[in-house]
């Protein structure tokens, strides 16, 4: 945006002089998708609409809006040692532990992961005390525990 001042010179000829300028950068709004997947009927940590509102508030400065949906009815056997989802060392070549990979394989056998969509698998418990969630950088699936 530019502000110009028009004035007459000594001969009566009009001339414009720039007195100010403002450069504005505009970004297109991005839409991000999140699917909440309660595993084995685990309760959600919060309502999908509440989570959407909070994500929209947090990401508003980045011009990002979220679409959040819940996918019910997913069951899987993944907890081989019965002490909760394994969050231990995942190894050099993987961001996910064996139990996480088992759960992801069970899910993708019935539904492929949609492009540009994040997935948060809500599991009943984890083998690490004090841990509430896990999502590796640059990956779309993550894991979360319900709030108690």
């Amino acid at each position: 945006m530019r502000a110009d001042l028009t004035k007459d010179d000594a001969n009566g000829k009009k001339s414009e002089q720039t007195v100010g300028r403002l450069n504005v950068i505009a970004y297109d709004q991005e839409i991000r998708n999140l699917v909440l997947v309660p595993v084995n009927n685990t309760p959600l940590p919060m309502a999908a609409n509440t989570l959407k509102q909070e994500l929209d508030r947090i990401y508003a400065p980045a011009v990002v809006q979220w679409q959040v949906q819940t996918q019910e009815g997913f069951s899987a056997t993944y907890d081989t040692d019965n002490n909760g989802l394994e969050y231990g060392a995942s190894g050099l070549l993987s961001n996910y532990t064996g139990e996480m990979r088992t759960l992801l394989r069970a899910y993708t056998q019935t539904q492929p992961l949609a492009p540009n969509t994040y997935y948060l698998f809500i599991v009943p418990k984890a083998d690490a005390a004090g841990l509430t969630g896990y999502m590796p950088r640059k990956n779309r699936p993550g894991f979360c525990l319900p709030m108690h």
Side-chain angles (χ1 to χ4, degrees):
M1 182 164 69
R2 202 171 109 176
D4 294 324
L5 175 65
T6 304
K7 64 180 187 173
D8 296 329
D9 63 13
N11 298 328
K13 187 176 176 183
K14 294 196 182 280
S15 66
E16 287 188 359
Q17 182 178 8
T18 301
V19 292
R21 187 170 84 184
L22 174 66
N23 290 329
V24 177
I25 298 173
Y27 296 98
D28 292 333
Q29 185 169 25
E30 287 187 39
I31 304 292
R32 299 278 171 96
N33 300 305
L34 174 64
V35 176
L36 303 173
V37 183
V39 178
N40 301 336
N41 297 317
T42 303
L44 293 176
M46 67 176 63
N49 192 42
T50 303
L51 180 58
K52 178 203 176 342
Q53 290 172 356
E54 188 64 14
L55 287 169
D56 286 346
R57 183 188 65 76
I58 292 167
Y59 282 86
V63 196
V64 174
Q65 187 175 36
W66 286 86
Q67 301 298 319
V68 179
Q69 68 182 56
T70 304
Q71 189 168 24
E72 301 289 342
F74 174 66
S75 295
T77 303
Y78 62 90
D79 188 8
T80 56
D81 53 10
N82 292 323
N83 69 344
L85 183 67
E86 176 183 78
Y87 277 94
S90 58
L92 250 30
L93 301 176
S94 174
N95 290 317
Y96 299 109
T97 64
E99 290 181 353
M100 290 175 185
R101 287 192 306 275
T102 298
L103 200 152
L104 290 172
R105 252 190 319 275
Y107 184 82
T108 57
Q109 283 177 350
T110 60
Q111 341 207 7
L113 297 178
N116 302 318
T117 301
Y118 295 89
Y119 291 83
L120 199 52
F121 293 88
I122 316 301
V123 296
K125 66 179 186 172
D127 69 354
L131 192 65
T132 58
Y134 176 78
M135 180 177 268
R137 287 180 61 151
K138 298 186 179 184
N139 285 326
R140 295 180 292 129
F143 304 88
C144 178
L145 298 171
M147 294 180 192
H148 299 303

